[in-house]
């Protein structure tokens, strides 16, 4: 079952219903000269979809909050405005290895909300931090031992006992680091995933996966270790890892060889022996010098139901049924027209780009990025797909997104774009889909685009 590589019609997939995606907002500067620190490196909605977090290469986390419905502005529902901005990570230096540790945020994961505050995990290459984001709209006044300006009072001048009172103040959103999980990874962290038990989470680097308790920072348990005794025998690395959304003992990790291993933590403390092994047999006729590079999996995501998982390699998105290891149940071509360009993509290093993928709420549609600021959507029910573009040129409020088509060769039609004119510096690596509504967030270099359906 394969999704076509073309462009779909005017309606866009979102799980069976045809409707128009339209522009909602764009965040970030419109400058042509983009500072490296401003490039967005991760995007993540929280469990309710009311908060949207982005991390960038400068180590900053920006949290946007969804506006509630406003009668004077009926279309403002669904708009996201800045809620909190904080510096999550700073550049560091590893003196033992004489290596600089970048401040770039590799991943953000929200914890399920337990009270009025929100918690998120953010990680760079080496250190994971747990942040608390909370609101304050009252302050205490009338202390006995200090004046209103904070200076200590002379105890001998205190003649009466005062009861402090809480007074209203302007709303303040505070971000404070609650835990720092460090010194557990020799290699660069590529994934973090919160367990469904809400108490533990995993972190994965190139060769190991560690299990942490959210309350304990000074130790973690190594649950997967694929490091060979002799590093010259190294043939593959871990590229992504994720916990099952409902079964707290199940996790998957993908490899640079295009395979996925499912592990059950009940079977043994060290999950080096997988429970299931997902691999698609290679077609010998299509083998080339680039086969191994383009088969490397850059992202793996369980469906919300937990029945399926999706993997993204360089040219395609595959959907796997957890009960069938031999081959994927769906293969969707993302940009098959690039197969003839692999040589030049290898020379400019684009072939090593790591594209992410995401599910919509009901698991009926999937989304992933491409080049030229294009992103692709695939409807799993109707087998239709569409190519859309994140562009400021089409950024009028509620403006419908026009499906784009790429011409791979031969005679180019009027509304098609030639594969030779694609801009490979404009790439959409990070996307996120609202957990319940048809609202999507797409990171294009330093800009965050938010699109929604016409009826939202």
């Amino acid at each position: 079952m394969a999704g076509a590589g073309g462009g779909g019609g005017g309606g866009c997939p979102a799980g069976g219903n045809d409707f128009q995606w339209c522009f909602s907002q764009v965040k970030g500067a419109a400058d042509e000269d983009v500072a490296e620190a401003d490039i967005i490196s991760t995007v993540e909605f929280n469990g309710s979809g009311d908060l949207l977090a982005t991390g960038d290469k400068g180590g900053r986390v920006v949290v946007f909050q969804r506006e509630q419905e406003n009668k004077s502005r009926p279309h403002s529902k669904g708009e996201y405005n800045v809620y909190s901005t904080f510096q999550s990570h700073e550049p560091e230096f590893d003196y033992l290895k004489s290596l600089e540790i970048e401040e770039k945020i590799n991943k953000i994961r929200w914890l399920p909300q337990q009270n009025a505050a929100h918690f998120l995990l953010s990680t760079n290459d080496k250190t994971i931090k747990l942040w608390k984001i909370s609101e304050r709209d009252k302050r205490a006044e009338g202390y006995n031992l200090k004046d209103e300006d904070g200076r200590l009072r002379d105890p001998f001048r205190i003649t009466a006992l005062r009861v402090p009172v809480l007074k209203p103040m302007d709303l303040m959103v505070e971000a404070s680091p609650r835990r720092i999980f460090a010194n557990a990874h020799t290699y660069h962290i590529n994934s973090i995933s919160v367990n469904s038990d809400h108490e533990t989470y995993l972190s994965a680097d190139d060769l190991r996966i560690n299990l942490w308790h959210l309350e304990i920072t000074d130790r973690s348990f190594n649950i997967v270790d694929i490091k060979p005794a002799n590093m010259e025998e190294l043939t593959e690395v871990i590229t992504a890892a994720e916990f099952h959304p409902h079964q707290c003992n199940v996790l998957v990790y993908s490899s640079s060889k295009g395979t996925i291993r499912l592990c059950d933590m009940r079977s043994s403390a060290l999950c080096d022996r997988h429970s299931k092994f997902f691999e698609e047999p290679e077609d010998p006729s299509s083998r080339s010098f680039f086969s191994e590079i383009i088969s490397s999996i850059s992202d793996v995501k369980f469906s919300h139901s937990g029945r399926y998982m999706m993997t993204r390699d360089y040219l395609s998105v595959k959907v796997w049924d957890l009960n069938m290891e031999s081959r994927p149940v769906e293969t969707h071509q993302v940009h098959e027209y690039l197969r003839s360009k692999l040589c030049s993509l290898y020379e400019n290093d684009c072939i090593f780009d790591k594209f992410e993928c995401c599910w919509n709420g009901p698991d009926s549609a999937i989304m992933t990025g491409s080049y030229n600021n294009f992103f692709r959507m695939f409807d799993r029910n109707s087998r239709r797909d569409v190519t859309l573009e994140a562009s400021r040129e089409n950024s009028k409020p509620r403006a419908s997104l026009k499906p784009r088509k790429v011409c791979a060769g031969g005679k180019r039609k009027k509304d098609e774009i030639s594969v030779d004119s694609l801009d490979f510096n404009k790439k959409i690596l990070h996307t996120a889909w609202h957990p319940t509504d048809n609202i999507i967030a797409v990171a294009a270099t330093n800009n965050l685009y938010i699109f929604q359906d016409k009826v939202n």
Side-chain angles (χ1 to χ4, degrees):
M1 295 192 275
C12 303
N17 301 317
D18 267 9
F19 62 80
Q20 290 288 335
W21 283 101
C22 69
F23 174 83
S24 176
Q25 293 169 279
V26 59
K27 307 287 186 185
D31 309 345
E32 283 296 313
D33 299 332
V34 179
E36 181 81 5
D38 294 336
I39 295 173
I40 297 171
S41 53
T42 184
V43 184
E44 187 80 4
F45 280 103
N46 76 336
S48 67
D50 289 337
L51 296 179
L52 171 63
T54 65
D56 64 25
K57 287 192 173 182
R60 293 178 298 259
V61 171
V62 181
V63 179
F64 300 93
Q65 185 181 45
R66 190 178 182 186
E67 293 297 311
Q68 297 307 310
E69 191 128 32
N70 188 332
K71 284 181 181 161
S72 61
R73 294 175 61 221
H75 293 315
S76 67
K77 186 177 188 290
E79 277 192 9
Y80 284 81
N81 292 319
V82 174
Y83 180 61
S84 175
T85 304
F86 56 94
Q87 187 73 33
S88 172
H89 287 70
E90 302 278 358
E92 295 173 62
F93 192 79
D94 185 333
Y95 293 99
L96 286 175
K97 294 183 178 164
S98 297
L99 283 175
E100 283 185 26
I101 302 168
E102 285 185 345
E103 65 272 40
K104 174 192 161 207
I105 308 294
N106 291 341
K107 285 284 184 288
I108 289 173
R109 289 291 178 264
W110 291 93
L111 270 59
Q113 191 176 356
Q114 312 282 7
N115 52 34
H118 299 273
F119 290 85
L120 64 81
L121 289 166
S122 64
T123 184
N124 66 351
D125 286 341
K126 297 289 181 185
T127 306
I128 305 152
K129 295 184 182 181
L130 174 66
W131 290 88
K132 177 185 180 182
I133 301 162
S134 54
E135 295 183 356
R136 257 202 330 175
D137 60 357
K138 292 183 176 67
R139 68 166 185 268
E141 282 185 8
Y143 288 106
N144 289 292
L145 298 177
K146 57 184 180 184
D147 290 323
E148 300 308 324
D149 58 5
R151 284 183 301 184
L152 289 174
R153 295 170 68 191
D154 183 351
F156 296 105
R157 294 191 180 176
I158 299 171
T159 54
L161 190 64
R162 293 191 288 184
V163 178
V165 292
L166 290 172
K167 293 277 183 72
M169 60 179 260
D170 292 339
L171 181 68
M172 211 166 78
V173 180
E174 295 177 314
S176 52
R178 308 300 290 179
R179 307 266 188 282
I180 295 175
F181 306 89
N183 306 322
H185 285 278
T186 310
Y187 307 98
H188 291 177
I189 298 170
N190 56 46
S191 305
I192 49 175
S193 177
V194 181
N195 199 343
S196 59
D197 64 11
H198 303 174
E199 285 188 351
T200 56
Y201 74 93
L202 66 76
S203 58
D205 65 23
D206 294 341
L207 297 178
R208 296 190 181 102
I209 299 175
N210 292 333
L211 179 69
W212 299 85
H213 193 286
L214 284 161
E215 299 291 328
I216 301 166
T217 60
D218 60 354
R219 69 179 180 275
S220 62
F221 296 95
N222 179 231
I223 51 173
V224 174
D225 187 348
I226 65 165
K227 186 182 178 187
N230 179 3
M231 282 296 272
E232 286 177 11
E233 294 168 12
L234 183 70
T235 57
E236 64 181 330
V237 294
I238 297 166
T239 55
E242 189 176 55
F243 267 123
H244 190 279
H246 311 302
Q247 297 168 18
C248 62
N249 51 287
V250 173
L251 64 111
V252 294
Y253 67 93
S254 59
S255 91
S256 55
K257 276 192 166 177
T259 61
I260 310 105
R261 291 171 174 84
L262 184 139
C263 302
D264 189 333
M265 293 194 294
R266 294 173 302 186
S267 60
S268 66
L270 193 64
C271 300
D272 282 358
R273 284 200 201 89
H274 48 265
S275 304
K276 293 189 177 184
F277 183 74
F278 300 84
E279 183 179 29
E280 186 171 26
E282 191 186 16
D283 178 5
S285 63
S286 65
R287 178 145 188 89
S288 73
F289 170 76
F290 304 108
S291 294
E292 208 164 293
I293 302 171
I294 63 172
S295 67
S296 175
I297 293 170
S298 55
D299 196 18
V300 59
K301 292 268 168 64
F302 277 110
S303 63
H304 296 90
S305 67
R307 170 71 190 270
Y308 300 97
M309 67 178 171
M310 164 171 57
T311 59
R312 170 72 208 258
D313 56 43
Y314 190 65
L315 293 179
S316 65
V317 171
K318 293 170 184 171
V319 176
W320 301 77
D321 187 323
L322 292 192
N323 299 328
M324 189 168 90
E325 301 164 55
S326 56
R327 59 189 171 85
V329 290
E330 298 166 32
T331 300
H332 302 282
Q333 301 303 333
V334 177
H335 37 218
E336 185 62 21
Y337 47 78
L338 294 182
R339 196 174 283 277
S340 61
K341 303 278 175 198
L342 291 177
C343 197
S344 54
L345 290 163
Y346 178 75
E347 284 168 4
N348 64 15
D349 279 352
C350 284
I351 202 167
F352 302 107
D353 285 336
K354 292 177 168 37
F355 292 95
E356 294 172 9
C357 50
C358 61
W359 299 85
N360 71 340
D363 299 331
S364 56
I366 54 184
M367 172 172 63
T368 191
S370 181
Y371 294 103
N372 208 63
N373 277 2
F374 288 169
F375 58 99
R376 304 270 283 131
M377 285 184 176
F378 303 92
D379 189 313
R380 298 181 60 218
N381 299 328
S382 68
R383 299 274 170 236
R384 289 175 64 181
D385 64 285
V386 72
T387 302
L388 300 171
E389 183 181 9
S391 164
R392 282 185 179 269
E393 287 162 26
N394 194 23
S395 58
K396 295 186 187 75
R398 318 285 298 170
S400 293
L401 297 189
K402 237 174 47 192
R404 310 306 300 258
K405 289 192 180 138
V406 177
C407 169
K411 196 160 170 36
R412 185 164 66 89
K413 292 180 189 162
K414 183 173 162 248
D415 58 343
E416 288 185 337
I417 298 140
S418 163
V419 68
D420 294 316
S421 61
L422 295 175
D423 187 342
F424 292 105
N425 291 318
K426 291 181 175 175
K427 54 191 92 169
I428 289 175
L429 303 175
H430 315 286
T431 59
W433 203 313
H434 190 287
T436 53
D437 296 346
N438 280 318
I439 296 173
I440 55 172
V442 173
T445 320
N446 65 322
N447 291 314
L448 180 72
Y449 289 86
I450 297 169
F451 304 105
Q452 59 184 45
D453 62 359
K454 274 282 194 194
V455 297
N456 214 321

